[in-house]
Amino acid sequence: MPVQQQTYENLEAPPNNEWLEKPQRAKRRSKWIVIGSLIALAALIAVGVGVGVSLSKKSSNNSTSSTSSTSGTPSGTNPNDPSNFPKDSALKQSFYGIAYTPLGSQLPDCGNNLTEVIEDIQLLSQITTNIRLYGADCNQSSLVLAAIQATQVNMNVYLGNYPASDDNGTAYERQKGEIQTALQQFGAGNVLGVTVGNEFILDYVTGLGQTDPNGSAGQAAMLIPWINDTRSMLAEMGLSNITVGNADAGSYFNTEVLSSVDYGMSNVHPWFANQSINDAAGWTYEFFEENNVVAAQALANKPKMFIAETGWPTDSSEFNYSPNDGPSIASVANLQIFIDTFACQATANGTGYFFFEFSDEPWKATTYGGVEGYWGLFDSNKNLKNLTLPTC
Ligand SMILES: *[C@@H]1O[C@H](CO)[C@@H](O)[C@H](O)[C@H]1NC(C)=O
Ligand SMILES: *[C@@H]1O[C@H](CO)[C@@H](O)[C@H](O)[C@H]1NC(C)=O
Ligand SMILES: *[C@@H]1O[C@H](CO)[C@@H](O)[C@H](O)[C@H]1NC(C)=O
Ligand SMILES: *[C@@H]1O[C@H](CO)[C@@H](O)[C@H](O)[C@H]1NC(C)=O
Ligand SMILES: *[C@@H]1O[C@H](CO)[C@@H](O)[C@H](O)[C@H]1NC(C)=O
Ligand SMILES: *[C@@H]1O[C@H](CO)[C@@H](O)[C@H](O)[C@H]1NC(C)=O
Ligand SMILES: *[C@@H]1O[C@H](CO)[C@@H](O)[C@H](O)[C@H]1NC(C)=O
Ligand SMILES: *[C@@H]1O[C@H](CO)[C@@H](O)[C@H](O)[C@H]1NC(C)=O
Ligand SMILES: *[C@@H]1O[C@H](CO)[C@@H](O)[C@H](O)[C@H]1NC(C)=O
């Protein structure tokens, strides 16, 4: 089914699956193509969203995610000591890892700040000990490392470098510099790895309507020197112990790229695969094992594989949940089921994963529509959604 294979909906499912033949395709495809290009993304934000993406400061919160708040500071934070913050009994260490992007970390507007990131890290530290970043623009690597040190929480980070394929390495070099600065300023004590590339092969293959990730030799030839270059940078800093990896869609790992990294991170999304919620956890695990873990084990370097993103959306501005929408219903109740069937079990059986994602990102809803803005465990005001987090 060559035509099928060109469509986005196959990208995180087995290549021969025939799922999602309608509105999701266009939305999903456009999202990822746009996201794949920092330049396009920046332009869209500049036009459509603006600085700050209107995360309203939380002054009053619901009872599920915060306790008292001091006026003018993030709720519960002692302004003189971010390590002294109240713990929320609703938050549990339920997740192996969480996918995280500080709000306002896209050029050209940026707009992130340490106060906000400290607040995020305080919340994140109550639900996981591992986070991954996608990119390094807007000083986000430094902010995250600074926030971990200020809060003194137990948190490890996979930093990210999100290069573009059409800028002669400008985005790569820029973010490499940001990462190097962050490591120099804050040390590597909380850093487990640096992920070079996010959906780089996916963007290329879908962009050209190709079907074989191995056919993307040109892109691999661009990516692998950057992977090697990051390794060299770390070695020069005396940090050869920091691993270097790559993240891509689950069906789009290029063998040459995987042969060049210490770890691979794979997006595996049961919602986009039109799985029913009751099948979602099992499908995610099996897809990852069969397509990514087995393939990695067959390579000489045997890169460690993680699930880079998995999760379940809670809302959609696009679908009305008619039977034609299939069994993938976006709702908080279904997110609860996915958490209950996946989060603790996967960790327990050795599946390293990063739950997608920390909080809703309203700018994505504005820019992309559909479900894009509604994948958070927390809403855009950083209140935990109506979820009961399991104790693992
Ligand atoms: C989703 O799955 C349902 C049930 O398996 C099926 O009826 C429907 O056609 C699928 N939807 C798409 C868009 O593939
Ligand atoms: C940090 O960012 C938030 C959200 O954009 C904003 O409301 C707040 O004023 C900023 N704080 C500082 C100190 O810049
Ligand atoms: C980046 O953030 C760190 C931590 O807050 C800060 O020390 C540094 O000055 C920032 N760098 C820039 C260029 O804003
Ligand atoms: C990349 O470099 C080539 C050769 O120097 C140049 O022609 C091209 O305009 C550059 N592209 C970008 C996006 O800078
Ligand atoms: C790597 O080495 C640095 C410098 O000695 C250290 O701070 C860091 O904890 C080490 N990281 C890992 C993952 O071993
Ligand atoms: C990519 O190449 C590897 C090694 O040659 C092979 O095992 C794998 O099946 C190829 N993948 C595709 C999609 O052709
Ligand atoms: C990348 O590094 C590996 C391991 O050192 C080496 O075998 C390979 O030739 C390098 N590739 C490129 C394109 O630099
Ligand atoms: C690991 O956990 C996942 C998620 O619940 C589950 O689907 C899978 O069957 C488990 N695997 C093993 C080997 O227990
Ligand atoms: C929260 O979820 C529970 C089910 O887990 C439901 O009974 C309750 O009505 C929900 N509350 C709100 C405010 O939606």
Side-chain angles (χ1 to χ4, degrees):
M1 297 287 295
V3 174
Q4 270 293 318
Q5 290 191 1
Q6 291 173 15
T7 61
Y8 182 78
E9 53 270 30
N10 290 298
L11 302 182
E12 281 143 2
N16 293 321
N17 254 22
E18 294 181 35
W19 39 269
L20 293 196
E21 189 55 61
K22 39 167 214 181
Q24 284 159 330
R25 170 171 47 175
K27 282 296 174 192
R28 182 81 171 137
R29 187 178 168 87
S30 67
K31 169 200 166 182
W32 290 109
I33 287 172
V34 171
I35 274 193
S37 160
L38 289 174
I39 291 171
L41 180 58
L44 273 169
I45 295 166
V47 170
V49 186
V51 183
V53 195
S54 77
L55 172 69
S56 58
K57 189 83 181 152
K58 71 186 225 191
S59 48
S60 65
N61 301 283
N62 73 21
S63 59
T64 56
S65 78
S66 76
T67 51
S68 64
S69 106
T70 316
S71 70
T73 64
S75 69
T77 300
N78 178 336
N80 301 314
D81 182 8
S83 72
N84 178 4
F85 62 97
K87 309 302 185 291
D88 183 342
S89 61
L91 302 182
K92 307 277 172 51
Q93 292 285 337
S94 309
F95 303 95
Y96 177 90
I98 303 284
Y100 172 57
T101 302
L103 192 73
S105 296
Q106 287 82 31
L107 292 171
D109 295 323
C110 297
N112 55 19
N113 60 57
L114 186 58
T115 307
E116 291 291 325
V117 176
I118 283 175
E119 190 177 50
D120 294 349
I121 293 295
Q122 289 172 338
L123 293 171
L124 282 161
S125 68
Q126 297 177 68
I127 61 175
T128 191
T129 55
N130 298 297
I131 55 176
R132 66 173 286 244
L133 301 176
Y134 290 82
D137 280 330
C138 304
N139 201 26
Q140 61 182 288
S141 319
S142 290
L143 290 173
V144 167
L145 295 181
I148 292 171
Q149 293 185 3
T151 53
Q152 295 174 30
V153 297
N154 175 20
M155 182 69 80
N156 290 312
V157 190
Y158 288 89
L159 301 175
N161 187 329
Y162 196 151
S165 59
D166 56 0
D167 70 351
N168 291 340
T170 303
Y172 168 78
E173 294 292 342
R174 181 180 68 232
Q175 293 171 84
K176 173 190 172 187
E178 296 253 19
I179 289 168
Q180 186 162 29
T181 300
L183 290 170
Q184 283 163 347
Q185 190 174 354
F186 298 100
N190 300 106
V191 178
L192 292 180
V194 179
T195 310
V196 179
N198 183 61
E199 300 187 330
F200 199 77
I201 301 297
L202 163 70
D203 289 340
Y204 173 76
V205 168
T206 55
L208 292 194
Q210 293 195 359
T211 56
D212 176 9
N214 281 349
S216 55
Q219 294 291 283
M222 199 181 294
L223 198 48
I224 292 168
W226 290 336
I227 289 166
N228 283 4
D229 181 61
T230 294
R231 230 188 262 291
S232 300
M233 174 192 80
L234 292 170
E236 284 162 18
M237 298 177 76
L239 295 174
S240 297
N241 61 335
I242 303 298
T243 55
V244 179
N246 172 252
D248 218 307
S251 297
Y252 279 77
F253 275 103
N254 173 289
T255 304
E256 295 303 316
V257 172
L258 264 190
S259 297
S260 305
V261 291
D262 301 309
Y263 66 89
M265 291 188 173
S266 165
N267 291 347
V268 186
H269 276 294
W271 192 87
F272 287 110
N274 193 23
Q275 297 298 304
S276 75
I277 187 60
N278 292 326
D279 295 335
W283 178 87
T284 301
Y285 176 81
E286 281 159 29
F287 177 87
F288 175 63
E289 283 293 319
E290 290 167 10
N291 292 276
N292 301 137
V293 175
V294 168
Q297 280 301 308
L299 300 175
N301 60 320
K302 297 195 189 334
K304 181 171 172 50
M305 299 303 290
F306 298 89
I307 295 178
E309 291 184 359
T310 193
W312 198 271
T314 59
D315 201 357
S316 169
S317 58
E318 186 178 358
F319 305 111
N320 59 8
Y321 308 149
S322 72
N324 289 338
D325 290 330
S328 294
I329 305 297
S331 69
V332 175
N334 281 350
L335 173 57
Q336 179 73 63
I337 292 171
F338 190 59
I339 291 170
D340 287 344
T341 52
F342 187 82
C344 295
Q345 294 87 338
T347 306
N349 69 38
T351 308
Y353 67 89
F354 293 83
F355 208 84
F356 186 77
E357 62 179 330
F358 167 56
S359 66
D360 284 353
E361 301 191 66
W363 68 271
K364 287 188 178 174
T366 308
T367 306
Y368 307 118
V371 296
E372 299 301 342
Y374 309 104
W375 291 80
L377 295 162
F378 294 83
D379 66 21
S380 58
N381 291 319
K382 304 188 199 180
N383 296 312
L384 184 66
K385 291 178 180 175
N386 184 19
L387 298 167
T388 302
L389 298 186
T391 302
C392 294

